[in-house]
Amino acid sequence: LLALGPKRQRRAVYNLEDLDMLRSLSGQLALAVERLYLVERGQALVRETAEAQLTALRAQINPHFLFNALNTIVSLIEEQPEQAVEVVAHLASIFRHILHTGGLPFVSMQDEFALVSHYLSIEQARFGARLQIDRRLDPTLRSLPVPAFAVQTLVENAVKHGLEKRRNGGTLHLF
């Protein structure tokens, strides 16, 4: 709706040229508003996509990891029951972390580092001397927000696609 007031000059009236210019301006304004709506909708879709990816990432406790962790526990029960108990405790801590951060898109680096430490403790029990870990968290980074499970996913990929395939294993440096 376009409301017109009186022209500045008294007794002046709007002519067809004025109306064409106003129609053109109102059309441009309508296009600009539509573009703003599309930009906002695009940003909302990007946010929703990122949230969906994070949700999928959280739900993706890799079945192979869970299977391997349970097999590690079974193999340790008879030979090293104390270590089997530790692995169960680390697995429980991972599930507790997932329940705690389930709906959060970001967590502190300290929380993410704790999750990674539990994950690596299980993998270390599984690989033994083949997996060496050098982990340090700079105190200035502890409160830094990071996407939930982002660091854990990177570490899991480093173990699975890097160190696991090496006959002699290797060292994972996590700084």
Side-chain angles (χ1 to χ4, degrees):
L1 174 66
L2 184 60
L4 301 176
K7 284 185 99 174
R8 285 187 181 189
Q9 300 169 352
R10 287 189 181 251
R11 297 184 188 227
V13 293
Y14 290 100
N15 59 31
L16 291 177
E17 187 178 298
D18 291 333
L19 293 176
D20 284 342
M21 184 174 54
L22 288 170
R23 261 192 223 110
S24 175
L25 290 173
S26 66
Q28 290 175 5
L29 181 61
L31 284 173
V33 168
E34 183 67 23
R35 284 185 188 135
L36 282 175
Y37 170 76
L38 290 174
V39 166
E40 286 177 3
R41 182 67 184 134
Q43 289 173 341
L45 288 173
V46 166
R47 277 192 307 274
E48 290 170 8
T49 300
E51 289 173 14
Q53 288 173 339
L54 286 172
T55 301
L57 192 59
R58 284 189 193 103
Q60 185 187 44
I61 288 259
N62 193 326
H64 295 290
F65 164 70
L66 186 56
F67 178 78
N68 290 335
L70 292 173
N71 278 339
T72 300
I73 293 166
V74 167
S75 69
L76 290 171
I77 286 176
E78 286 186 33
E79 297 173 19
Q80 298 171 331
E82 297 83 18
Q83 191 176 9
V85 169
E86 288 176 23
V87 172
V88 169
H90 288 296
L91 192 57
S93 294
I94 288 173
F95 284 118
R96 194 173 304 111
H97 179 84
I98 291 168
L99 290 173
H100 176 70
T101 62
L104 301 175
F106 292 92
V107 296
S108 71
M109 180 63 89
Q110 184 170 345
D111 287 345
E112 188 73 3
F113 212 78
L115 171 68
V116 167
S117 293
H118 291 299
Y119 168 78
L120 287 173
S121 294
I122 294 170
E123 292 296 88
Q124 207 161 27
R126 181 172 159 226
F127 290 107
R130 290 183 50 223
L131 177 61
Q132 300 300 312
I133 301 166
D134 179 15
R135 55 184 148 201
R136 292 177 238 156
L137 178 59
D138 184 332
T140 62
L141 301 176
R142 288 187 176 145
S143 62
L144 181 73
V146 295
F149 293 90
V151 177
Q152 190 276 335
T153 301
L154 291 172
V155 169
E156 184 175 352
N157 284 335
V159 171
K160 183 178 180 182
H161 300 293
L163 299 174
E164 182 177 51
K165 296 182 181 207
R166 298 178 74 190
R167 179 181 302 177
N168 295 328
T171 302
L172 177 69
H173 299 279
L174 185 60
F175 294 40

